[in-house]
Amino acid sequence: MRSTLLVGALGGLLVFGATADGIQAQAKAPLAQPNAEAAPQVQAGELALGTVRVPRKVLADGKPLAAGTYRVRLTTQEATGRAPGATPSYERFVEFLQGNQVKGREVASIIADADIAKVAKGRKPGAGATRVELLRGNDFLRVWINRGGNHYLI
């Protein structure tokens, strides 16, 4: 009887050990990266993305941005360390301008058109168009710009 219990206990430990190793191996596996074919082709310098109307006062990069109409410009400054797992060159700051004055800035995620369905839900704006949407119980504002085969999510 003792030998049967001992064999059962050892068998249980072996199964548990294999399962725990499998879980640990899965947790250490790297995240899948986008295909090189679908990687956004981003201009190296600054880029005018378009004009947006912000319907209410919001925080942009932790600072107040008043309701109003703004020109949005992609900067050359990468937003390193802001979005875990993101490729730094696809996370860049944008500026909100009125006239020639920068009124605010925020991080934009740059996603290729081929990958946008994996990232954002809902109807995407047409080529060259923008969409401003209230999200999560009207607590968050998303600015979505579709320009040059890329989507800029702010």
Side-chain angles (χ1 to χ4, degrees):
M1 178 84 169
R2 278 189 178 175
S3 62
T4 307
L5 287 175
L6 185 58
V7 169
L10 287 174
L13 287 173
L14 290 174
V15 170
F16 177 75
T19 305
D21 288 343
I23 292 171
Q24 189 175 13
Q26 286 177 354
K28 291 182 181 178
L31 297 174
Q33 295 296 312
N35 296 334
E37 297 171 17
Q41 300 300 310
V42 184
Q43 177 176 320
E46 292 183 345
L47 175 66
L49 295 177
T51 302
V52 297
R53 185 183 164 283
V54 176
R56 65 182 190 184
K57 181 180 174 181
V58 295
L59 290 179
D61 201 24
K63 298 175 184 136
L65 180 68
T69 302
Y70 297 93
R71 287 184 302 114
V72 180
R73 175 174 63 197
L74 182 70
T75 70
T76 58
Q77 184 182 3
E78 293 178 358
T80 55
R82 300 285 294 231
T87 304
S89 59
Y90 303 145
E91 297 285 324
R92 288 178 34 193
F93 279 95
V94 294
E95 295 174 332
F96 292 87
L97 299 111
Q98 287 182 327
N100 289 328
Q101 188 176 17
V102 175
K103 297 291 187 169
R105 67 185 216 137
E106 187 54 83
V107 175
S109 296
I110 306 167
I111 299 121
D113 192 52
D115 288 333
I116 194 63
K118 299 173 191 172
V119 176
K121 296 179 182 176
R123 200 178 87 223
K124 65 182 183 180
T130 62
R131 174 174 289 135
V132 177
E133 303 170 301
L134 289 171
L135 303 174
R136 278 209 189 155
N138 296 329
D139 289 335
F140 296 93
L141 187 78
R142 173 171 65 192
V143 177
W144 185 346
I145 301 172
N146 181 354
R147 186 174 192 288
N150 292 325
H151 294 264
Y152 300 84
L153 298 177
I154 307 163

